[in-house]
Amino acid sequence: MWARLINTALGLWLMIAPGIFQYSSAAADNGHIAGPVIVTFSVVAIWEATRVVRKWNYPVAIWLLAAPWILGYDNTIAIVSDMGVGVLVLIFASVKGKIEKNYGGGWASLWQKNPEHIQKSDQN
Amino acid sequence: MKEDSNHIPPGWDYNPATWSQRIPIVILAMVGFFIASYLALYQLDIITNVWEPFFGDGSVTILNSRVSHVLPIPDAALGAFGYLLDAVTGVIGGTGRWKKMPWIVIVFGLAVGPLGFVSVMLVVFQPVLFSAWCTLCLCSAVISIAMIGPAMDEMLASLQYMKRVRRSDASTWKAFWGLQSEIEKVN
């Protein structure tokens, strides 16, 4: 739960930082795009059944590490902020947190040959 | 209570289709519906002002932007329809609907998912294309994102059930539409 809330806050930071520090347009656009995406994935992953969505933040976070150099930021604050957020999002997205309930094998079960929900229903 | 326990999917600890699971989502959808309807009334020139406490003329800029009028009907009206679809498909069916009417659960899941996706896209457009923010549009986006997580467990239960239907000798098509005779053939 807390890991998802921290990543939500980091996504919100990406959205508001360009206005506070007067980012150039490439850096500002990047924050305004990556921010809402990170917030969305983090909020959806709060629920146990959709916890797996936390991992969708990995590619976004990795992009944040590369973006300052690919897009050529000229603002040091923007470079430090994006790369720092990238590292932190990567760390907190890797935290699985508690899964207290069973979901018949979860989403992976839809591609497995003999998943938990089929085994359980065969026992009945 | 007894009825609920009969409707726990195999391999699960709880039934994702109980009212306590669904009512919060329906309430969120109704709040979203009212916000989107209010914004649509402004876009259709039925009301002349729109409430904007933080971003000056941000809401006016966003709600009159070319993106919001790219379709024949204003985007908020489409959003209102989406929320109404979420609420209606959230209410229809009893507590065993994940297996008794998989079609409604799957329509519900498909309605909640893409609405959230479109909302996020519109949030991105606000600052990137128009350098403005719209408070109520952001509220609407928060609501549609908050609905995805709690709605998807029921979707998962229905999709797992449909997988069990396919390996049984029941008709996938009839089971999808919830015919009683087919439900009995599936565990």
Side-chain angles (χ1 to χ4, degrees):
Chain A
M1 180 76 177
W2 55 270
R4 259 46 70 188
L5 295 181
I6 291 172
N7 273 355
T8 305
L10 289 167
L12 289 173
W13 166 251
L14 288 180
M15 292 170 72
I16 60 169
I20 297 173
F21 296 109
Q22 308 288 316
Y23 285 11
S24 61
S25 81
D29 284 353
N30 194 47
H32 288 145
I33 294 169
V37 173
I38 290 173
V39 169
T40 303
F41 293 163
S42 305
V43 170
V44 171
I46 289 173
W47 285 270
E48 287 187 10
T50 43
R51 182 64 52 82
V52 63
V53 173
R54 73 193 161 87
K55 294 181 184 169
W56 297 6
N57 269 330
Y58 291 161
V60 188
I62 291 167
W63 163 249
L64 284 174
L65 297 176
W69 316 106
I70 294 173
L71 301 176
Y73 291 7
D74 46 17
N75 182 330
T76 312
I77 295 174
I79 298 172
V80 172
S81 166
D82 273 21
M83 293 193 71
V85 168
V87 170
L88 291 173
V89 168
L90 215 49
I91 291 170
F92 291 113
S94 73
V95 176
K96 190 177 180 192
K98 266 192 223 144
I99 303 272
E100 290 174 332
K101 290 180 173 143
N102 286 305
Y103 298 88
W107 296 94
S109 75
L110 300 175
W111 293 274
Q112 289 163 351
K113 228 176 156 56
N114 192 23
E116 195 184 330
H117 66 95
I118 288 179
Q119 292 170 23
K120 284 275 160 48
S121 69
D122 286 345
Q123 286 164 16
N124 296 333
Chain B
M1 190 61 211
K2 188 174 173 296
E3 201 202 17
D4 277 357
S5 65
N6 285 340
H7 291 148
I8 295 177
W12 286 55
D13 298 322
Y14 70 103
N15 172 9
T18 56
W19 289 109
S20 60
Q21 293 273 324
R22 283 156 58 189
I23 284 175
I25 306 171
V26 172
I27 291 172
L28 276 179
M30 290 312 296
V31 174
F33 171 73
F34 285 119
I35 293 176
S37 300
Y38 169 73
L39 296 175
L41 287 178
Y42 171 76
Q43 289 183 316
L44 292 165
D45 293 324
I46 295 167
I47 50 175
T48 49
N49 290 303
V50 64
W51 186 71
E52 176 50 81
F54 304 116
F55 305 114
D57 56 3
S59 284
V60 172
T61 307
I62 297 298
L63 293 168
N64 293 305
S65 67
R66 59 186 193 286
V67 168
S68 66
H69 290 95
V70 76
L71 296 168
I73 61 165
D75 60 347
L78 205 65
F81 172 77
Y83 283 117
L84 194 62
L85 186 67
D86 290 344
V88 170
T89 54
V91 163
I92 292 174
T95 54
R97 69 175 193 158
W98 60 267
K99 77 169 172 187
K100 289 186 176 166
M101 23 184 5
W103 68 274
I104 194 82
V105 177
I106 288 167
V107 170
F108 172 63
L110 291 177
V112 171
L115 189 71
F117 174 77
V118 172
S119 290
V120 177
M121 224 171 57
L122 292 175
V123 168
V124 168
F125 286 163
Q126 291 182 32
V128 173
L129 297 182
F130 309 110
S131 303
W133 295 100
C134 157
T135 305
L136 285 175
C137 312
L138 290 172
C139 293
S140 166
V142 168
I143 288 172
S144 57
I145 291 164
M147 285 165 54
I148 299 175
M152 282 305 141
D153 58 349
E154 213 186 345
M155 177 87 158
L156 176 61
S158 274
L159 292 176
Q160 289 179 347
Y161 169 74
M162 289 311 293
K163 190 176 160 106
R164 293 197 295 282
V165 168
R166 290 193 62 181
R167 65 188 279 283
S168 71
D169 51 6
S171 152
T172 307
W173 176 250
K174 288 178 186 164
F176 179 70
W177 296 108
L179 264 75
Q180 188 63 38
S181 61
E182 303 301 305
I183 294 171
E184 284 159 6
K185 292 183 197 166
V186 185
N187 281 321

